[in-house]
Amino acid sequence: RLFTLHTSSNQHTQNQQTPTSPPSTPQTPPPTQVTLTNTTTNPTRYEDLLYGQFYIQFGAFEKVKQAEDLINTLKSEKIEVYYITKPVNNKTWYAVIQGPFDSQTAAKDQQEKFPNRKNQSFIFEAK
């Protein structure tokens, strides 16, 4: 993923002192605030996935809260994922996925990096 780094800090002004004044204690500037902004947009619907690309699916749920819970769990395991919506039998499902990958081999190589999740995930091709 690509990220843009935004920083902001407060500027301080110092009063001028006469040469006879004792030197003042240097002030420490406030900490700089750093904000990371995701500059890539993941697809939000199955229909928006890249045709012919491969994805790893970690789960699918009827409730968005369940998908969000799995995303938080996977992110705590350093697995970057997101969810997409997919209509199934006139219901909206929320699928937690990772990708795209250019080939099934690339997706499988990525899946191998998470042995604790390998049996709980599968690879699919967007069509």
Side-chain angles (χ1 to χ4, degrees):
R1 291 186 177 187
L2 302 175
F3 292 92
T4 303
L5 181 65
H6 300 282
T7 63
S8 63
S9 62
N10 297 331
Q11 296 180 341
H12 291 290
T13 58
Q14 296 180 359
N15 294 332
Q16 291 184 351
Q17 298 178 348
T18 61
T20 58
S21 299
S24 64
T25 306
Q27 294 184 1
T28 305
T32 302
Q33 295 177 339
V34 178
T35 304
L36 290 176
T37 304
N38 187 349
T39 58
T40 59
T41 303
N42 291 319
T44 58
R45 302 176 314 154
Y46 179 83
E47 298 82 17
D48 297 331
L49 296 179
L50 298 173
Y51 181 83
Q53 295 289 294
F54 293 85
Y55 296 83
I56 303 170
Q57 181 172 315
F58 291 89
F61 307 94
E62 288 188 67
K63 296 185 180 190
V64 70
K65 171 85 169 83
Q66 293 170 301
E68 290 170 344
D69 289 346
L70 179 58
I71 288 169
N72 290 332
T73 298
L74 293 172
K75 285 187 176 188
S76 74
E77 296 173 18
K78 308 292 188 233
I79 303 173
E80 288 298 318
V81 293
Y82 56 98
Y83 73 81
I84 58 167
T85 59
K86 183 175 181 180
V88 178
N89 297 328
N90 296 320
K91 291 183 181 179
T92 299
W93 283 76
Y94 301 89
V96 177
I97 66 171
Q98 183 181 63
F101 300 95
D102 291 332
S103 68
Q104 187 171 10
T105 300
K108 186 173 176 60
D109 289 346
Q110 179 67 11
Q111 188 182 35
E112 294 290 332
K113 293 178 183 178
F114 312 115
N116 294 339
R117 295 288 177 175
K118 184 177 177 186
N119 293 331
Q120 301 167 355
S121 63
F122 66 91
I123 296 169
F124 69 93
E125 182 179 6
K127 295 184 178 193

